[in-house]
Amino acid sequence: DADVTQTPRNRITKTGKRIMLECSQTKGHDRMYWYRQDPGLGLRLIYYSFDVKDINKGEISDGYSVSRQAQAKFSLSLESAIPNQTALYFCATSDLREGYTFGSGTRLTVV
Amino acid sequence: TQLLEQSPQFLSIQEGENLTVYCNSSSVFSSLQWYRQEPGEGPVLLVTVVTGGEVKKLKRLTFQFGDARKDSSLHITAAQPGDTGLYLCAGTGAGSYQLTFGKGTKLSVIP
């Protein structure tokens, strides 16, 4: 099994729908992150969490929410999807010794 | 906001050639990381540099952190088709745990 697992890998949804992207990890890291990647814009931080009771907004949190259900699980929700949220989404974990480990990504298309 | 500028944005070279990719900022970073990302996958950490002037080697890849900790370079000797991918630099500022990414250099090595 991958260290950081994201589901689904691909998703097409309609404008206005609520969608949840899930992330689970076996690294045992406390810190977890959600990024989105757009062509020409690189990776931008949406939300991050340093432990189960700690949630922080990143650079581009508007339109998104997160839930840290357990140390190993961190989900990202789009309450009402819009087309400009079409992107590649990555979950990551980190610790000071090992650095960052990324999942394989979720390709989301909002039509 | 700390920004990282990567150059060139695109690079296409023949197998066996040498190349250098640059990552520059006007800000000081406490650490800088290099990642490689292949299509359909998340970024994979190659190296972390933390000391000004530090040089690290990973087989045919040489990473250098600038003396002032504002810039970094990645040099590949005798490039192979397997080196093809998106190379991302990312840094953490003093007192911050957040990782700021550059927009990446897309490398194609032609057999």
Side-chain angles (χ1 to χ4, degrees):
Chain A
D1 287 345
D3 292 328
V4 181
T5 302
Q6 292 184 235
T7 56
R9 287 298 309 272
N10 293 281
R11 179 73 181 266
I12 300 173
T13 192
K14 292 184 178 180
T15 297
K17 291 290 187 181
R18 184 180 189 276
I19 182 170
M20 179 183 289
L21 309 183
E22 299 191 10
C23 176
S24 62
Q25 54 121 341
T26 59
K27 299 288 291 184
H29 293 169
D30 286 327
R31 298 175 185 176
M32 296 189 74
Y33 310 81
W34 275 103
Y35 285 87
R36 67 177 277 177
Q37 187 175 36
D38 300 272
L41 294 179
L43 281 149
R44 293 180 291 167
L45 182 63
I46 306 172
Y47 269 95
Y48 62 101
S49 168
F50 285 172
D51 65 39
V52 175
K53 296 181 180 180
D54 177 78
I55 301 289
N56 302 280
K57 292 182 177 181
E59 181 186 352
I60 52 163
S61 59
D62 288 349
Y64 301 95
S65 63
V66 291
S67 174
R68 186 80 184 267
Q69 300 95 326
Q71 189 210 33
K73 295 184 181 296
F74 191 36
S75 61
L76 175 73
S77 293
L78 286 67
E79 298 301 325
S80 180
I82 55 177
N84 76 0
Q85 291 178 312
T86 292
L88 195 51
Y89 290 84
F90 288 102
C91 174
T93 72
S94 78
D95 78 0
L96 291 176
R97 186 172 57 86
E98 294 185 33
Y100 280 65
T101 302
F102 283 83
S104 296
T106 294
R107 184 170 296 280
L108 177 66
T109 303
V110 184
V111 298
Chain B
T1 302
Q2 295 179 303
L3 296 175
L4 282 165
E5 299 286 340
Q6 287 191 243
S7 61
Q9 189 176 358
F10 300 97
L11 187 56
S12 181
I13 62 170
Q14 294 291 131
E15 181 177 358
E17 293 183 352
N18 302 332
L19 67 112
T20 302
V21 173
Y22 299 93
C23 177
N24 295 294
S25 175
S26 58
S27 303
V28 174
F29 287 90
S30 57
S31 71
L32 200 135
Q33 301 173 2
W34 284 92
Y35 293 81
R36 180 169 66 211
Q37 183 179 15
E38 298 185 17
E41 297 298 328
V44 175
L45 180 64
L46 296 173
V47 75
T48 300
V49 286
V50 297
T51 304
E54 183 175 4
V55 177
K56 282 192 173 180
K57 292 191 175 183
L58 186 65
K59 296 183 180 178
R60 294 176 293 99
L61 279 61
T62 301
F63 305 86
Q64 185 162 9
F65 202 13
D67 291 341
R69 291 185 289 135
K70 293 182 178 181
D71 56 87
S72 182
S73 63
L74 158 60
H75 182 79
I76 301 179
T77 302
Q80 303 295 313
D83 296 326
T84 293
L86 179 67
Y87 288 82
L88 296 159
C89 68
T92 54
S96 171
Y97 298 105
Q98 291 189 40
L99 203 59
T100 299
F101 280 86
K103 296 179 181 179
T105 293
K106 191 169 185 179
L107 172 65
S108 296
V109 181
I110 303 166

